[in-house]
Amino acid sequence: MTTEKSKQLFKIAQKHLVGGVNSPVRAFGAVGGDPLFIAKAHGAHIEDVDGNKYIDFVGSWGPMILGHNPPVVMDAVRKQIENGTSFGAPCEPEVALAQLVKEAFPSIDLLRFTSSGTEATMSALRLARAQTRRVRIVKFEGAYHGHSDSLLVAAGSGATTFGVPSSAGVPEFLAQNTWVLPYNDPQALDELFVKQGPNIAAVIIEPVCGNMGVVKPTDEFLNLLTKLCKRHSALLIFDEVMTGFRLGWGGAQAMFGIKPDLTCLGKIIGAGFPVGAFGGRKDIMEKLAPLGPVYQAGTLSGNPVAMSAGVALLTELKKSRPYDRLAQATQELASFLRAIAAEKKIAVQVNQVGSMFTIFFNDAPVTNYLDATASNTQRYGRFFHELLQRGVYLPPSQYEAAFLSLAHSPTVIDTAEKAFASAFEALRKR
Ligand SMILES: *Cc1c(COP(=O)(O)O)cnc(C)c1O
């Protein structure tokens, strides 16, 4: 197996693109080695520029729930392109997609499409601050809500609960308006609300965490969060950019029976095109321009090609409701991974919710960011490369979710399982 062309392309790319990439994790910094340049994809597979084929467990970080290039989406895209690619004016597919999203998410009365998840969460925060006339927001450690200033914030140390910038360039005065709490810690949540309840505009949460690797919330934690937000009139924002239409037709909120005030979406609703959305209660959403005083806009928002792709994908999901099937297959894969790792005496925690999973190289359960960061990332990096050699493409970082798609047939999974077993064996020998 050679990856010469990828290596050469990466050299050239580094002369022109910062770090050779347009999104940091793609540079393989967390696993070592040079990134692969992908030439094409089909079904459960991606193929690099050297012609190597891999079973893909990244799925463009979530959107490819039907696998790559599903005919329903490809046909809809071709049809739309015949009629033009962007108008900067209202179009029919954006209405159709809005109706589908609302059908799936009863908590959403009105919504707005954006071009990314980052814009969705950023705009939802602005709206929450306008609605509540409060400034402070709460997020959870290890969660990712896109890269807007207010959300690139990490937990402060020691006595202070104020957030600190997790990126250079984020002003401290902004970071201090974001409190960062540990995920799955009802006590910390309770303490903050007791002290600061009237100052909290909103709490934003990944209702199932995917961005520290997969971490499931406890019922106690989610229920308390819902109760405290209501009691203190803070808005509850579910960031379902990853979980929306992934964990079920109605996302994580349907799974847990919780009705957030605002919901952020992305990834699957764009079927592989750049799309985000935020929506929720009518009285809040009506604060948005052109109806209200909160400004928000986008040249390519509601882009007809992206919207048509989303309509085709959601229509298919609505019809086939593949979620039980996907969850079952992923659960079986997770069980296999636990069993084979145990057999090879390698300590792993396989967290799985629906069709999302993460293999943590960790001997204790992973329930929050602190647990996740105790994982052996070097070992993950070795595992990642052993798998590449064997034709399996996992996320190039320990702290990411892997995804199954409907194209991951029993035959494909069988092939992947053999590669996983052999990669664990290779780790043991080193
Ligand atoms: C991917 C993701 C985002 C950011 O979406 P982009 O389209 O990359 O800007 C926000 N929140 C969550 C939970 C995500 O998984």
PDB file of all heavy atoms in Angstrom, residues 187-200:
ATOM      1  N   GLN A 187     -24.452  18.316  40.508  1.00  0.00           N
ATOM      2  CA  GLN A 187     -24.139  19.177  41.650  1.00  0.00           C
ATOM      3  C   GLN A 187     -23.531  20.510  41.202  1.00  0.00           C
ATOM      4  O   GLN A 187     -23.930  21.574  41.680  1.00  0.00           O
ATOM      5  CB  GLN A 187     -23.181  18.451  42.589  1.00  0.00           C
ATOM      6  CG  GLN A 187     -23.123  19.081  43.969  1.00  0.00           C
ATOM      7  CD  GLN A 187     -22.115  18.369  44.862  1.00  0.00           C
ATOM      8  OE1 GLN A 187     -21.826  17.181  44.658  1.00  0.00           O
ATOM      9  NE2 GLN A 187     -21.567  19.076  45.839  1.00  0.00           N
ATOM     10  N   ALA A 188     -22.595  20.439  40.274  1.00  0.00           N
ATOM     11  CA  ALA A 188     -21.971  21.665  39.759  1.00  0.00           C
ATOM     12  C   ALA A 188     -23.015  22.562  39.097  1.00  0.00           C
ATOM     13  O   ALA A 188     -22.994  23.790  39.242  1.00  0.00           O
ATOM     14  CB  ALA A 188     -20.870  21.310  38.760  1.00  0.00           C
ATOM     15  N   LEU A 189     -23.925  21.938  38.413  1.00  0.00           N
ATOM     16  CA  LEU A 189     -24.994  22.661  37.729  1.00  0.00           C
ATOM     17  C   LEU A 189     -25.878  23.373  38.757  1.00  0.00           C
ATOM     18  O   LEU A 189     -26.187  24.566  38.626  1.00  0.00           O
ATOM     19  CB  LEU A 189     -25.811  21.642  36.938  1.00  0.00           C
ATOM     20  CG  LEU A 189     -26.716  22.124  35.832  1.00  0.00           C
ATOM     21  CD1 LEU A 189     -25.916  22.829  34.756  1.00  0.00           C
ATOM     22  CD2 LEU A 189     -27.448  20.922  35.226  1.00  0.00           C
ATOM     23  N   ASP A 190     -26.262  22.624  39.754  1.00  0.00           N
ATOM     24  CA  ASP A 190     -27.123  23.157  40.811  1.00  0.00           C
ATOM     25  C   ASP A 190     -26.450  24.337  41.505  1.00  0.00           C
ATOM     26  O   ASP A 190     -27.062  25.385  41.714  1.00  0.00           O
ATOM     27  CB  ASP A 190     -27.441  22.037  41.800  1.00  0.00           C
ATOM     28  CG  ASP A 190     -28.666  22.363  42.645  1.00  0.00           C
ATOM     29  OD1 ASP A 190     -29.669  22.828  42.053  1.00  0.00           O
ATOM     30  OD2 ASP A 190     -28.601  22.204  43.872  1.00  0.00           O
ATOM     31  N   GLU A 191     -25.166  24.170  41.835  1.00  0.00           N
ATOM     32  CA  GLU A 191     -24.439  25.234  42.542  1.00  0.00           C
ATOM     33  C   GLU A 191     -24.368  26.512  41.703  1.00  0.00           C
ATOM     34  O   GLU A 191     -24.553  27.605  42.234  1.00  0.00           O
ATOM     35  CB  GLU A 191     -23.020  24.765  42.883  1.00  0.00           C
ATOM     36  CG  GLU A 191     -22.994  23.910  44.143  1.00  0.00           C
ATOM     37  CD  GLU A 191     -21.672  23.187  44.345  1.00  0.00           C
ATOM     38  OE1 GLU A 191     -20.670  23.576  43.685  1.00  0.00           O
ATOM     39  OE2 GLU A 191     -21.653  22.225  45.132  1.00  0.00           O
ATOM     40  N   LEU A 192     -24.116  26.368  40.429  1.00  0.00           N
ATOM     41  CA  LEU A 192     -24.019  27.567  39.581  1.00  0.00           C
ATOM     42  C   LEU A 192     -25.370  28.281  39.499  1.00  0.00           C
ATOM     43  O   LEU A 192     -25.439  29.510  39.597  1.00  0.00           O
ATOM     44  CB  LEU A 192     -23.519  27.203  38.180  1.00  0.00           C
ATOM     45  CG  LEU A 192     -23.328  28.418  37.274  1.00  0.00           C
ATOM     46  CD1 LEU A 192     -22.166  29.297  37.751  1.00  0.00           C
ATOM     47  CD2 LEU A 192     -23.092  28.012  35.821  1.00  0.00           C
ATOM     48  N   PHE A 193     -26.434  27.517  39.335  1.00  0.00           N
ATOM     49  CA  PHE A 193     -27.752  28.144  39.221  1.00  0.00           C
ATOM     50  C   PHE A 193     -28.169  28.809  40.534  1.00  0.00           C
ATOM     51  O   PHE A 193     -28.804  29.866  40.516  1.00  0.00           O
ATOM     52  CB  PHE A 193     -28.804  27.121  38.766  1.00  0.00           C
ATOM     53  CG  PHE A 193     -29.007  27.118  37.274  1.00  0.00           C
ATOM     54  CD1 PHE A 193     -28.334  26.214  36.467  1.00  0.00           C
ATOM     55  CD2 PHE A 193     -29.862  28.036  36.676  1.00  0.00           C
ATOM     56  CE1 PHE A 193     -28.510  26.217  35.093  1.00  0.00           C
ATOM     57  CE2 PHE A 193     -30.049  28.053  35.295  1.00  0.00           C
ATOM     58  CZ  PHE A 193     -29.369  27.139  34.504  1.00  0.00           C
ATOM     59  N   VAL A 194     -27.807  28.202  41.663  1.00  0.00           N
ATOM     60  CA  VAL A 194     -28.128  28.822  42.952  1.00  0.00           C
ATOM     61  C   VAL A 194     -27.479  30.199  43.041  1.00  0.00           C
ATOM     62  O   VAL A 194     -28.098  31.186  43.426  1.00  0.00           O
ATOM     63  CB  VAL A 194     -27.651  27.923  44.120  1.00  0.00           C
ATOM     64  CG1 VAL A 194     -27.630  28.695  45.438  1.00  0.00           C
ATOM     65  CG2 VAL A 194     -28.546  26.694  44.243  1.00  0.00           C
ATOM     66  N   LYS A 195     -26.211  30.276  42.612  1.00  0.00           N
ATOM     67  CA  LYS A 195     -25.469  31.537  42.721  1.00  0.00           C
ATOM     68  C   LYS A 195     -25.818  32.515  41.613  1.00  0.00           C
ATOM     69  O   LYS A 195     -25.871  33.715  41.811  1.00  0.00           O
ATOM     70  CB  LYS A 195     -23.951  31.245  42.667  1.00  0.00           C
ATOM     71  CG  LYS A 195     -23.367  30.892  44.031  1.00  0.00           C
ATOM     72  CD  LYS A 195     -21.844  30.894  43.967  1.00  0.00           C
ATOM     73  CE  LYS A 195     -21.360  29.465  43.882  1.00  0.00           C
ATOM     74  NZ  LYS A 195     -19.955  29.264  43.687  1.00  0.00           N
ATOM     75  N   GLN A 196     -26.002  31.996  40.397  1.00  0.00           N
ATOM     76  CA  GLN A 196     -26.024  32.878  39.224  1.00  0.00           C
ATOM     77  C   GLN A 196     -27.279  32.780  38.367  1.00  0.00           C
ATOM     78  O   GLN A 196     -27.328  33.389  37.296  1.00  0.00           O
ATOM     79  CB  GLN A 196     -24.794  32.573  38.341  1.00  0.00           C
ATOM     80  CG  GLN A 196     -23.470  32.778  39.027  1.00  0.00           C
ATOM     81  CD  GLN A 196     -23.141  34.257  39.216  1.00  0.00           C
ATOM     82  OE1 GLN A 196     -23.865  35.141  38.760  1.00  0.00           O
ATOM     83  NE2 GLN A 196     -22.056  34.538  39.928  1.00  0.00           N
ATOM     84  N   GLY A 197     -28.263  32.019  38.819  1.00  0.00           N
ATOM     85  CA  GLY A 197     -29.477  31.770  38.027  1.00  0.00           C
ATOM     86  C   GLY A 197     -29.985  32.972  37.252  1.00  0.00           C
ATOM     87  O   GLY A 197     -30.190  32.898  36.030  1.00  0.00           O
ATOM     88  N   PRO A 198     -30.187  34.117  37.924  1.00  0.00           N
ATOM     89  CA  PRO A 198     -30.785  35.276  37.235  1.00  0.00           C
ATOM     90  C   PRO A 198     -29.874  35.902  36.169  1.00  0.00           C
ATOM     91  O   PRO A 198     -30.332  36.770  35.435  1.00  0.00           O
ATOM     92  CB  PRO A 198     -31.015  36.284  38.373  1.00  0.00           C
ATOM     93  CG  PRO A 198     -30.892  35.504  39.629  1.00  0.00           C
ATOM     94  CD  PRO A 198     -29.988  34.364  39.353  1.00  0.00           C
ATOM     95  N   ASN A 199     -28.613  35.478  36.119  1.00  0.00           N
ATOM     96  CA  ASN A 199     -27.687  36.039  35.120  1.00  0.00           C
ATOM     97  C   ASN A 199     -27.502  35.151  33.895  1.00  0.00           C
ATOM     98  O   ASN A 199     -26.799  35.518  32.958  1.00  0.00           O
ATOM     99  CB  ASN A 199     -26.318  36.281  35.757  1.00  0.00           C
ATOM    100  CG  ASN A 199     -26.397  37.279  36.894  1.00  0.00           C
ATOM    101  OD1 ASN A 199     -27.104  38.281  36.777  1.00  0.00           O
ATOM    102  ND2 ASN A 199     -25.723  36.993  37.990  1.00  0.00           N
ATOM    103  N   ILE A 200     -28.099  33.969  33.947  1.00  0.00           N
ATOM    104  CA  ILE A 200     -27.843  33.006  32.874  1.00  0.00           C
ATOM    105  C   ILE A 200     -28.855  33.170  31.744  1.00  0.00           C
ATOM    106  O   ILE A 200     -30.054  32.953  31.933  1.00  0.00           O
ATOM    107  CB  ILE A 200     -27.861  31.557  33.415  1.00  0.00           C
ATOM    108  CG1 ILE A 200     -26.752  31.389  34.462  1.00  0.00           C
ATOM    109  CG2 ILE A 200     -27.689  30.555  32.275  1.00  0.00           C
ATOM    110  CD1 ILE A 200     -26.791  30.070  35.217  1.00  0.00           C
TER     111      ILE A 200
END
